[in-house]
Amino acid sequence: MDSVSELTTERLSVYLRCLTFLESLNEKTVSSHELARRFHLNSAQIRKDLAHFGEFGIRGVGYDVSRLRQHLVTTLGIDHVRNVVIAGAGNLGIALSNYKGFNSGGFSIVALLDSDTRKLDRKLKSGIPVLPANSLASVVAENAVEIGIIAVPASEAQAVYESMVDAGICAILNFAPVQLSRREGVKLRSVDLRINLESLSFFLKHAADEGCDELGTGETREE
Amino acid sequence: MDSVSELTTERLSVYLRCLTFLESLNEKTVSSHELARRFHLNSAQIRKDLAHFGEFGIRGVGYDVSRLRQHLVTTLGIDHVRNVVIAGAGNLGIALSNYKGFNSGGFSIVALLDSDTRKLDRKLKSGIPVLPANSLASVVAENAVEIGIIAVPASEAQAVYESMVDAGICAILNFAPVQLSRREGVKLRSVDLRINLESLSFFLKHAADEGCDELGTGETREE
Protein backbone atom coordinates (compact mmCIF):
# COMPACT_ATOMS: atom_id res chain seq x y z
CA MET A 1 0.00 0.00 0.00
CA ASP A 2 3.07 2.20 -0.15
CA SER A 3 1.95 3.49 -3.51
CA VAL A 4 -1.33 4.82 -2.08
CA SER A 5 -0.88 8.49 -1.39
CA GLU A 6 -2.70 10.57 1.18
CA LEU A 7 -4.50 12.26 -1.70
CA THR A 8 -5.98 8.91 -2.69
CA THR A 9 -7.19 8.16 0.82
CA GLU A 10 -8.75 11.63 0.90
CA ARG A 11 -10.64 10.87 -2.29
CA LEU A 12 -11.87 7.59 -0.78
CA SER A 13 -13.25 9.64 2.13
CA VAL A 14 -14.99 11.95 -0.33
CA TYR A 15 -16.51 9.01 -2.24
CA LEU A 16 -17.70 7.58 1.08
CA ARG A 17 -19.53 10.82 1.91
CA CYS A 18 -21.17 10.85 -1.54
CA LEU A 19 -22.30 7.24 -1.21
CA THR A 20 -23.62 7.79 2.32
CA PHE A 21 -25.67 10.66 0.93
CA LEU A 22 -26.98 8.54 -1.99
CA GLU A 23 -27.84 5.72 0.40
CA SER A 24 -29.83 8.17 2.53
CA LEU A 25 -31.84 8.97 -0.63
CA ASN A 26 -32.42 5.22 -1.03
CA GLU A 27 -30.58 5.11 -4.35
CA LYS A 28 -29.45 1.61 -5.28
CA THR A 29 -26.87 2.06 -8.04
CA VAL A 30 -24.70 4.85 -9.37
CA SER A 31 -22.29 5.07 -12.29
CA SER A 32 -18.91 6.79 -12.12
CA HIS A 33 -20.27 9.41 -14.54
CA GLU A 34 -23.27 10.08 -12.33
CA LEU A 35 -21.08 10.29 -9.22
CA ALA A 36 -18.80 12.71 -11.07
CA ARG A 37 -21.67 14.84 -12.32
CA ARG A 38 -23.53 15.11 -9.02
CA PHE A 39 -20.57 15.74 -6.78
CA HIS A 40 -18.27 17.61 -9.18
CA LEU A 41 -15.65 14.88 -9.30
CA ASN A 42 -13.64 13.28 -12.11
CA SER A 43 -15.16 10.05 -13.44
CA ALA A 44 -11.89 8.59 -14.78
CA GLN A 45 -10.24 9.26 -11.42
CA ILE A 46 -13.14 7.55 -9.61
CA ARG A 47 -12.82 4.42 -11.77
CA LYS A 48 -9.04 4.35 -11.32
CA ASP A 49 -9.20 4.82 -7.55
CA LEU A 50 -11.89 2.19 -7.03
CA ALA A 51 -10.30 -0.32 -9.41
CA HIS A 52 -7.12 -0.01 -7.31
CA PHE A 53 -9.13 -1.46 -4.41
CA GLY A 54 -10.76 -4.16 -6.50
CA GLU A 55 -14.10 -2.44 -7.14
CA PHE A 56 -15.42 -2.37 -10.69
CA GLY A 57 -18.74 -0.95 -11.78
CA ILE A 58 -20.93 -2.95 -14.15
CA ARG A 59 -21.23 -1.38 -17.58
CA GLY A 60 -24.66 0.17 -18.04
CA VAL A 61 -25.50 -0.34 -14.35
CA GLY A 62 -22.70 1.20 -12.33
CA TYR A 63 -21.78 0.52 -8.73
CA ASP A 64 -24.05 -0.94 -6.07
CA VAL A 65 -24.32 2.01 -3.65
CA SER A 66 -24.58 0.09 -0.37
CA ARG A 67 -22.00 -2.49 -1.31
CA LEU A 68 -19.47 0.10 -2.48
CA ARG A 69 -20.10 2.17 0.62
CA GLN A 70 -19.40 -0.81 2.87
CA HIS A 71 -16.31 -1.63 0.83
CA LEU A 72 -14.96 1.90 1.42
CA VAL A 73 -15.72 1.69 5.14
CA THR A 74 -13.69 -1.51 5.30
CA THR A 75 -10.88 -0.15 3.12
CA LEU A 76 -10.58 2.93 5.31
CA GLY A 77 -10.46 0.71 8.38
CA ILE A 78 -13.38 2.44 10.09
CA ASP A 79 -15.49 -0.74 10.37
CA HIS A 80 -14.38 -1.07 13.99
CA VAL A 81 -13.76 1.56 16.64
CA ARG A 82 -10.30 3.06 17.10
CA ASN A 83 -9.62 4.85 20.37
CA VAL A 84 -8.25 8.38 20.25
CA VAL A 85 -6.62 10.64 22.82
CA ILE A 86 -6.31 14.44 22.53
CA ALA A 87 -3.31 16.22 24.06
CA GLY A 88 -4.33 19.74 25.05
CA ALA A 89 -7.61 20.77 26.69
CA GLY A 90 -7.56 24.36 25.48
CA ASN A 91 -10.11 25.82 23.07
CA LEU A 92 -8.78 23.76 20.17
CA GLY A 93 -8.69 20.45 22.05
CA ILE A 94 -12.21 20.96 23.40
CA ALA A 95 -13.50 22.04 19.98
CA LEU A 96 -12.02 18.88 18.43
CA SER A 97 -13.53 16.71 21.18
CA ASN A 98 -16.94 18.18 20.32
CA TYR A 99 -16.35 17.92 16.57
CA LYS A 100 -18.86 15.69 14.85
CA GLY A 101 -17.07 12.77 13.31
CA PHE A 102 -14.17 12.75 15.77
CA ASN A 103 -16.14 10.76 18.32
CA SER A 104 -18.38 8.61 16.13
CA GLY A 105 -18.40 6.16 13.23
CA GLY A 106 -15.11 4.41 13.86
CA PHE A 107 -13.50 6.80 16.34
CA SER A 108 -13.91 7.18 20.08
CA ILE A 109 -12.14 9.88 22.10
CA VAL A 110 -11.26 8.38 25.48
CA ALA A 111 -9.67 11.44 27.11
CA LEU A 112 -8.20 14.90 26.79
CA LEU A 113 -4.88 15.41 28.53
CA ASP A 114 -3.47 18.64 29.89
CA SER A 115 -0.47 19.64 31.96
CA ASP A 116 -2.40 22.58 33.46
CA THR A 117 -3.95 21.19 36.66
CA ARG A 118 -6.62 23.94 36.62
CA LYS A 119 -8.12 22.33 33.53
CA LEU A 120 -8.53 18.93 35.15
CA ASP A 121 -11.75 19.88 36.90
CA ARG A 122 -13.45 20.95 33.69
CA LYS A 123 -16.68 19.13 33.04
CA LEU A 124 -17.05 18.94 29.28
CA LYS A 125 -20.48 18.71 27.68
CA SER A 126 -19.29 15.60 25.87
CA GLY A 127 -18.55 13.89 29.19
CA ILE A 128 -15.00 13.10 28.02
CA PRO A 129 -12.62 13.34 31.00
CA VAL A 130 -9.72 15.80 31.18
CA LEU A 131 -6.76 13.93 32.71
CA PRO A 132 -3.22 14.95 33.73
CA ALA A 133 -0.71 14.96 30.90
CA ASN A 134 1.50 12.51 32.75
CA SER A 135 -1.22 9.85 32.65
CA LEU A 136 -0.75 9.47 28.87
CA ALA A 137 1.07 6.12 29.00
CA SER A 138 -1.54 4.52 31.27
CA VAL A 139 -4.48 5.97 29.29
CA VAL A 140 -2.99 4.60 26.07
CA ALA A 141 -2.26 1.18 27.57
CA GLU A 142 -5.61 0.78 29.36
CA ASN A 143 -7.67 1.87 26.35
CA ALA A 144 -5.53 0.48 23.54
CA VAL A 145 -5.40 4.00 22.06
CA GLU A 146 -4.31 3.94 18.41
CA ILE A 147 -4.49 7.62 17.42
CA GLY A 148 -3.12 10.71 19.18
CA ILE A 149 -4.17 14.26 18.39
CA ILE A 150 -1.76 17.09 19.22
CA ALA A 151 -3.66 20.26 20.19
CA VAL A 152 -1.04 21.92 22.38
CA PRO A 153 0.97 25.09 21.68
CA ALA A 154 3.76 24.78 19.12
CA SER A 155 6.44 24.94 21.84
CA GLU A 156 5.11 21.76 23.49
CA ALA A 157 4.24 19.77 20.38
CA GLN A 158 7.53 17.89 19.90
CA ALA A 159 7.59 16.71 23.53
CA VAL A 160 3.97 15.54 23.25
CA TYR A 161 4.79 13.76 20.00
CA GLU A 162 7.67 11.90 21.70
CA SER A 163 5.47 10.92 24.66
CA MET A 164 2.79 9.60 22.34
CA VAL A 165 5.28 7.52 20.37
CA ASP A 166 6.86 6.23 23.60
CA ALA A 167 3.39 5.26 24.82
CA GLY A 168 2.94 3.10 21.72
CA ILE A 169 0.75 5.31 19.52
CA CYS A 170 1.69 4.95 15.86
CA ALA A 171 -0.71 7.38 14.14
CA ILE A 172 -0.66 11.05 15.11
CA LEU A 173 -2.66 14.04 13.91
CA ASN A 174 -0.86 17.31 14.58
CA PHE A 175 -2.65 20.67 14.76
CA ALA A 176 0.31 22.62 16.17
CA PRO A 177 1.86 24.95 13.57
CA VAL A 178 5.33 23.43 13.76
CA GLN A 179 7.39 20.98 11.73
CA LEU A 180 7.86 17.93 13.97
CA SER A 181 10.94 15.77 13.79
CA ARG A 182 9.58 12.30 13.08
CA ARG A 183 10.27 8.86 14.49
CA GLU A 184 10.42 5.87 12.19
CA GLY A 185 7.35 3.68 11.87
CA VAL A 186 4.98 6.39 13.07
CA LYS A 187 2.41 7.90 10.73
CA LEU A 188 2.18 11.66 11.15
CA ARG A 189 -0.39 13.90 9.53
CA SER A 190 -0.21 17.63 10.09
CA VAL A 191 -3.23 19.84 9.54
CA ASP A 192 -2.50 23.27 8.09
CA LEU A 193 -5.77 25.20 8.25
CA ARG A 194 -4.24 28.30 6.67
CA ILE A 195 -4.20 26.54 3.29
CA ASN A 196 -8.00 26.97 3.26
CA LEU A 197 -7.74 30.74 3.65
CA GLU A 198 -5.05 30.94 0.97
CA SER A 199 -7.30 29.02 -1.40
CA LEU A 200 -10.14 31.51 -0.77
CA SER A 201 -7.69 34.37 -1.26
CA PHE A 202 -6.65 32.91 -4.62
CA PHE A 203 -10.25 32.87 -5.80
CA LEU A 204 -10.92 36.37 -4.42
CA LYS A 205 -7.92 37.69 -6.31
CA HIS A 206 -9.13 36.23 -9.58
CA ALA A 207 -12.72 37.20 -8.77
CA ALA A 208 -11.49 40.77 -8.33
CA ASP A 209 -9.92 40.53 -11.77
CA GLU A 210 -13.18 39.34 -13.25
CA GLY A 211 -15.89 40.59 -10.89
CA CYS A 212 -17.13 38.53 -7.96
CA ASP A 213 -20.14 37.15 -9.80
CA GLU A 214 -17.92 35.62 -12.43
CA LEU A 215 -16.62 33.15 -9.88
CA GLY A 216 -19.26 30.66 -10.87
CA THR A 217 -21.35 28.77 -8.38
CA GLY A 218 -18.60 28.31 -5.86
CA GLU A 219 -18.21 24.64 -6.62
CA THR A 220 -14.99 22.78 -6.30
CA ARG A 221 -13.66 21.66 -9.64
CA GLU A 222 -11.27 18.81 -10.18
CA GLU A 223 -8.87 19.05 -13.06
CA MET B 1 -8.79 30.62 -13.94
CA ASP B 2 -11.80 28.33 -13.99
CA SER B 3 -9.55 25.43 -14.86
CA VAL B 4 -7.52 25.85 -11.67
CA SER B 5 -8.82 23.39 -9.13
CA GLU B 6 -8.69 23.72 -5.38
CA LEU B 7 -6.13 20.92 -5.38
CA THR B 8 -3.82 23.12 -7.46
CA THR B 9 -4.18 26.08 -5.11
CA GLU B 10 -3.40 23.74 -2.21
CA ARG B 11 -0.21 22.65 -3.93
CA LEU B 12 0.75 26.31 -4.46
CA SER B 13 0.37 26.79 -0.69
CA VAL B 14 2.61 23.78 -0.08
CA TYR B 15 5.27 25.10 -2.49
CA LEU B 16 5.09 28.46 -0.72
CA ARG B 17 5.82 26.80 2.64
CA CYS B 18 8.78 24.91 1.14
CA LEU B 19 10.22 28.08 -0.41
CA THR B 20 9.75 30.06 2.80
CA PHE B 21 11.71 27.34 4.60
CA LEU B 22 14.50 27.36 1.95
CA GLU B 23 14.67 31.16 2.12
CA SER B 24 15.10 30.95 5.90
CA LEU B 25 18.13 28.70 5.22
CA ASN B 26 19.42 31.42 2.89
CA GLU B 27 19.26 29.13 -0.15
CA LYS B 28 19.25 31.02 -3.43
CA THR B 29 18.12 28.55 -6.07
CA VAL B 30 16.31 25.22 -6.13
CA SER B 31 15.45 22.80 -8.92
CA SER B 32 12.10 21.04 -9.20
CA HIS B 33 13.93 17.76 -8.54
CA GLU B 34 15.52 19.13 -5.38
CA LEU B 35 12.16 20.53 -4.20
CA ALA B 36 10.57 17.17 -4.86
CA ARG B 37 13.31 15.23 -3.08
CA ARG B 38 13.46 17.39 0.02
CA PHE B 39 9.75 17.82 0.54
CA HIS B 40 8.46 14.51 -0.84
CA LEU B 41 6.64 16.07 -3.78
CA ASN B 42 6.37 15.18 -7.46
CA SER B 43 8.84 17.09 -9.68
CA ALA B 44 6.78 16.80 -12.89
CA GLN B 45 3.73 18.13 -11.02
CA ILE B 46 5.76 21.04 -9.65
CA ARG B 47 6.94 22.05 -13.13
CA LYS B 48 3.44 21.73 -14.55
CA ASP B 49 1.83 23.76 -11.74
CA LEU B 50 4.40 26.55 -11.89
CA ALA B 51 4.45 26.71 -15.69
CA HIS B 52 0.68 27.25 -15.52
CA PHE B 53 1.41 30.52 -13.68
CA GLY B 54 4.22 31.56 -15.99
CA GLU B 55 7.16 30.40 -13.90
CA PHE B 56 9.87 28.35 -15.55
CA GLY B 57 13.06 27.13 -13.92
CA ILE B 58 16.33 27.54 -15.78
CA ARG B 59 17.85 24.24 -16.88
CA GLY B 60 20.82 23.34 -14.70
CA VAL B 61 20.05 26.17 -12.27
CA GLY B 62 16.44 25.81 -11.21
CA TYR B 63 14.17 28.42 -9.70
CA ASP B 64 15.25 31.58 -7.89
CA VAL B 65 13.94 30.88 -4.36
CA SER B 66 13.03 34.44 -3.32
CA ARG B 67 11.58 35.41 -6.68
CA LEU B 68 9.45 32.26 -6.92
CA ARG B 69 8.30 32.70 -3.32
CA GLN B 70 7.19 36.27 -4.04
CA HIS B 71 5.48 35.12 -7.23
CA LEU B 72 3.46 32.55 -5.25
CA VAL B 73 2.53 35.15 -2.62
CA THR B 74 1.18 37.36 -5.39
CA THR B 75 -0.56 34.50 -7.20
CA LEU B 76 -2.29 33.44 -3.98
CA GLY B 77 -3.38 37.05 -3.43
CA ILE B 78 -1.84 37.28 0.03
CA ASP B 79 0.42 40.22 -0.83
CA HIS B 80 -2.09 42.54 0.80
CA VAL B 81 -4.24 42.09 3.90
CA ARG B 82 -7.76 40.64 3.61
CA ASN B 83 -10.07 41.19 6.54
CA VAL B 84 -11.82 38.19 8.08
CA VAL B 85 -14.76 37.79 10.43
CA ILE B 86 -15.53 34.65 12.46
CA ALA B 87 -19.14 33.75 13.25
CA GLY B 88 -19.24 31.82 16.53
CA ALA B 89 -17.23 32.62 19.66
CA GLY B 90 -17.34 29.10 21.10
CA ASN B 91 -14.27 26.91 21.56
CA LEU B 92 -13.84 26.47 17.81
CA GLY B 93 -14.19 30.17 16.93
CA ILE B 94 -11.77 31.19 19.67
CA ALA B 95 -9.31 28.43 18.70
CA LEU B 96 -9.42 29.66 15.08
CA SER B 97 -8.94 33.28 16.15
CA ASN B 98 -5.78 32.18 18.00
CA TYR B 99 -4.62 29.95 15.16
CA LYS B 100 -1.26 30.99 13.77
CA GLY B 101 -1.70 31.96 10.15
CA PHE B 102 -5.34 33.05 10.46
CA ASN B 103 -4.39 36.48 11.75
CA SER B 104 -1.08 37.12 9.97
CA GLY B 105 0.60 37.23 6.58
CA GLY B 106 -2.31 38.40 4.46
CA PHE B 107 -5.21 37.85 6.84
CA SER B 108 -6.55 39.95 9.69
CA ILE B 109 -9.44 38.84 11.91
CA VAL B 110 -11.45 41.94 12.78
CA ALA B 111 -14.08 40.37 15.06
CA LEU B 112 -15.80 37.27 16.36
CA LEU B 113 -19.59 37.40 16.33
CA ASP B 114 -21.95 35.54 18.62
CA SER B 115 -25.67 35.56 19.29
CA ASP B 116 -25.10 34.57 22.93
CA THR B 117 -24.89 37.86 24.82
CA ARG B 118 -22.97 36.18 27.67
CA LYS B 119 -20.03 35.74 25.32
CA LEU B 120 -19.81 39.43 24.43
CA ASP B 121 -17.89 40.30 27.58
CA ARG B 122 -15.16 37.79 26.87
CA LYS B 123 -11.73 39.29 26.73
CA LEU B 124 -9.72 37.19 24.34
CA LYS B 125 -5.95 36.93 24.67
CA SER B 126 -5.70 37.99 21.04
CA GLY B 127 -7.53 41.24 21.80
CA ILE B 128 -10.03 40.54 19.00
CA PRO B 129 -13.48 41.82 20.05
CA VAL B 130 -16.54 39.56 20.43
CA LEU B 131 -19.51 41.44 18.96
CA PRO B 132 -23.26 40.72 18.72
CA ALA B 133 -24.23 38.53 15.76
CA ASN B 134 -26.60 41.20 14.48
CA SER B 135 -23.73 43.62 13.94
CA LEU B 136 -22.42 41.47 11.06
CA ALA B 137 -23.51 43.81 8.27
CA SER B 138 -21.94 46.89 9.86
CA VAL B 139 -18.73 45.03 10.78
CA VAL B 140 -18.39 43.83 7.18
CA ALA B 141 -19.13 47.25 5.71
CA GLU B 142 -16.90 49.23 8.07
CA ASN B 143 -13.92 46.88 7.71
CA ALA B 144 -14.35 45.82 4.07
CA VAL B 145 -14.41 42.20 5.25
CA GLU B 146 -13.77 39.79 2.38
CA ILE B 147 -13.77 36.39 4.12
CA GLY B 148 -16.27 34.90 6.57
CA ILE B 149 -15.58 31.85 8.73
CA ILE B 150 -18.53 29.80 9.98
CA ALA B 151 -17.79 28.30 13.40
CA VAL B 152 -21.35 27.96 14.73
CA PRO B 153 -23.33 24.75 15.38
CA ALA B 154 -24.62 22.95 12.28
CA SER B 155 -28.20 24.05 12.98
CA GLU B 156 -27.25 27.74 12.65
CA ALA B 157 -24.79 27.46 9.77
CA GLN B 158 -27.18 28.06 6.85
CA ALA B 159 -28.62 31.21 8.44
CA VAL B 160 -25.14 32.54 9.13
CA TYR B 161 -24.12 31.74 5.54
CA GLU B 162 -27.10 33.74 4.22
CA SER B 163 -26.31 36.70 6.49
CA MET B 164 -22.70 36.71 5.34
CA VAL B 165 -23.69 36.67 1.68
CA ASP B 166 -26.29 39.40 2.27
CA ALA B 167 -23.60 41.48 3.98
CA GLY B 168 -21.48 41.28 0.82
CA ILE B 169 -18.96 38.58 1.73
CA CYS B 170 -18.10 36.42 -1.27
CA ALA B 171 -15.64 33.91 0.18
CA ILE B 172 -16.71 31.69 3.07
CA LEU B 173 -14.92 28.98 5.02
CA ASN B 174 -17.33 26.60 6.72
CA PHE B 175 -16.38 24.44 9.71
CA ALA B 176 -19.94 23.34 10.54
CA PRO B 177 -20.54 19.68 9.63
CA VAL B 178 -23.43 20.38 7.29
CA GLN B 179 -23.98 20.64 3.54
CA LEU B 180 -24.88 24.29 2.86
CA SER B 181 -27.15 25.32 0.07
CA ARG B 182 -25.07 27.75 -1.98
CA ARG B 183 -25.73 31.15 -3.50
CA GLU B 184 -24.37 32.00 -6.90
CA GLY B 185 -21.16 33.99 -7.12
CA VAL B 186 -20.04 33.03 -3.63
CA LYS B 187 -17.00 30.86 -3.07
CA LEU B 188 -17.60 28.28 -0.35
CA ARG B 189 -14.97 25.99 1.10
CA SER B 190 -15.99 23.46 3.71
CA VAL B 191 -13.44 21.92 6.05
CA ASP B 192 -14.01 18.27 6.91
CA LEU B 193 -11.51 17.44 9.64
CA ARG B 194 -12.69 13.83 9.86
CA ILE B 195 -10.95 13.06 6.57
CA ASN B 196 -7.66 13.35 8.48
CA LEU B 197 -8.69 10.66 10.96
CA GLU B 198 -9.92 8.40 8.17
CA SER B 199 -6.57 8.77 6.43
CA LEU B 200 -4.76 7.72 9.63
CA SER B 201 -7.18 4.82 10.02
CA PHE B 202 -6.40 3.67 6.49
CA PHE B 203 -2.69 3.57 7.26
CA LEU B 204 -3.28 1.87 10.63
CA LYS B 205 -5.31 -0.81 8.93
CA HIS B 206 -2.57 -1.56 6.43
CA ALA B 207 0.10 -1.18 9.12
CA ALA B 208 -1.78 -3.82 11.13
CA ASP B 209 -1.63 -6.08 8.08
CA GLU B 210 2.10 -5.57 7.76
CA GLY B 211 3.28 -4.60 11.25
CA CYS B 212 3.43 -1.00 12.43
CA ASP B 213 7.13 -0.58 11.67
CA GLU B 214 6.54 -1.39 8.04
CA LEU B 215 4.69 1.90 7.61
CA GLY B 216 7.88 3.62 6.57
CA THR B 217 8.88 6.98 7.91
CA GLY B 218 5.42 8.43 7.99
CA GLU B 219 6.04 10.68 5.04
CA THR B 220 3.36 11.79 2.67
CA ARG B 221 3.84 10.35 -0.76
CA GLU B 222 2.44 11.81 -3.90
CA GLU B 223 1.55 9.41 -6.67
Side-chain angles (χ1 to χ4, degrees), chain B residues 87-99:
Chain B
N91 288 304
L92 181 60
I94 295 175
L96 295 174
S97 73
N98 290 329
Y99 189 79

Side-chain angles (χ1 to χ4, degrees), chain A residues 1-14 16-17 21 45 48-49 52-53 74-79 82 84 90-92 94-96 98-107 122 146-149 170-173 175-177 182-207 210 212-223, chain B residues 1-14 16-17 45 48-49 52-53 74-79 82 84 90-92 94-96 98-107 122 146-149 170-173 175-177 179 182-207 210 212-223:
Chain A
M1 286 295 161
D2 261 4
S3 63
V4 177
S5 74
E6 297 203 355
L7 285 179
T8 304
T9 67
E10 288 181 14
R11 288 197 300 268
L12 295 184
S13 289
V14 170
L16 175 57
R17 278 148 190 67
F21 178 71
Q45 182 81 64
K48 185 182 162 207
D49 287 336
H52 187 89
F53 295 100
T74 307
T75 302
L76 286 167
I78 51 176
D79 48 348
R82 297 185 190 276
V84 177
N91 288 304
L92 180 60
I94 294 175
L96 294 174
N98 290 329
Y99 189 79
K100 189 185 156 193
F102 266 38
N103 203 15
S104 67
F107 304 104
R122 285 199 184 172
E146 293 185 277
I147 296 175
I149 298 178
C170 61
I172 294 174
L173 187 57
F175 281 87
R182 293 151 181 243
R183 298 252 297 266
E184 209 167 330
V186 178
K187 179 74 191 163
L188 174 66
R189 201 174 153 99
S190 286
V191 175
D192 181 349
L193 294 172
R194 181 180 160 93
I195 282 179
N196 296 292
L197 284 189
E198 291 185 356
S199 178
L200 290 179
S201 172
F202 176 89
F203 281 91
L204 282 172
K205 180 182 170 82
H206 296 283
E210 300 166 21
C212 179
D213 284 348
E214 297 302 311
L215 261 180
T217 54
E219 304 293 0
T220 302
R221 279 188 190 80
E222 297 275 337
E223 283 174 310
Chain B
M1 286 293 164
D2 262 4
S3 63
V4 176
S5 73
E6 295 203 354
L7 285 180
T8 305
T9 67
E10 289 182 13
R11 288 196 301 268
L12 296 185
S13 290
V14 170
L16 176 55
R17 278 149 189 69
Q45 183 80 64
K48 185 183 162 209
D49 288 336
H52 187 87
F53 295 99
T74 307
T75 302
L76 286 167
I78 50 176
D79 48 350
R82 297 184 191 276
V84 178
N91 288 304
L92 181 60
I94 295 175
L96 295 174
N98 290 329
Y99 189 79
K100 189 184 157 195
F102 267 36
N103 203 16
S104 65
F107 304 103
R122 284 200 184 173
E146 293 185 277
I147 297 174
I149 298 178
C170 63
I172 294 174
L173 187 58
F175 281 88
Q179 185 95 23
R182 292 151 182 243
R183 298 254 295 267
E184 209 167 330
V186 179
K187 178 76 191 163
L188 174 66
R189 199 176 154 100
S190 286
V191 175
D192 181 350
L193 293 172
R194 181 180 160 94
I195 282 180
N196 296 292
L197 284 189
E198 291 185 355
S199 179
L200 289 180
S201 172
F202 176 90
F203 280 91
L204 281 172
K205 181 183 169 84
H206 296 283
E210 301 167 18
C212 180
D213 284 348
E214 297 303 311
L215 262 179
T217 54
E219 303 294 359
T220 302
R221 278 187 191 81
E222 296 276 334
E223 282 174 310

